[in-house]
Amino acid sequence: MVDRMMVRKPLTDEQIEAGRRLGGELRRTRGERSLDDVARAAAISPETLRKIEAGRLPSPAFGTVVALAAALGISVDALAQEYSRSVPA
C-alpha cells in the first residue's frame, strides 16, 4: 500500500490579496464589537480571528468563515463576493 500525502499548493498572490480583503471586511463588519466577543461567538480562538483580520491567515477553513458570518450577522455570500472579487475562477 502506497502512502500518498497530499501537498497543498502555495497560495497565489491573488489568493493572498483576496484573504486580506476578506479579513478587512470581517474587521469592518465587527465594528465596535470586541475581537474576543466575536471569536467566542464563532467558537474560534481570538488569535485565529486576529490572524484572519490581519490577512496572515488568507485561506481560513470554510467552517470558520461560516461561523464568523453567523457571529457577525452577515451572509456567507457577501464574504464570498468580497473574497472572489479578483480571484480567477
Side-chain angles (χ1 to χ4, degrees):
M1 192 172 196
V2 177
D3 183 22
R4 295 183 184 181
M5 289 185 10
M6 292 184 63
V7 178
R8 183 176 178 174
K9 291 182 182 179
L11 297 175
T12 65
D13 290 342
E14 291 85 7
Q15 290 169 317
I16 292 169
E17 179 56 33
R20 288 186 184 127
R21 282 195 317 278
L22 173 67
E25 182 63 22
L26 289 168
R27 173 64 190 100
R28 279 187 295 282
T29 303
R30 182 166 60 84
E32 297 298 318
R33 286 181 67 185
S34 77
L35 186 133
D36 289 342
D37 177 52
V38 172
R40 189 176 317 106
I44 64 172
S45 73
E47 184 58 24
T48 296
L49 180 53
R50 189 174 290 110
K51 286 178 182 178
I52 293 169
E53 286 186 354
R56 292 184 298 143
L57 184 56
S59 184
F62 179 71
T64 299
V65 175
V66 170
L68 285 167
L72 293 167
I74 58 175
S75 74
V76 174
D77 286 344
L79 293 176
Q81 287 175 357
E82 185 63 30
Y83 180 88
S84 64
R85 234 176 349 121
S86 70
V87 176

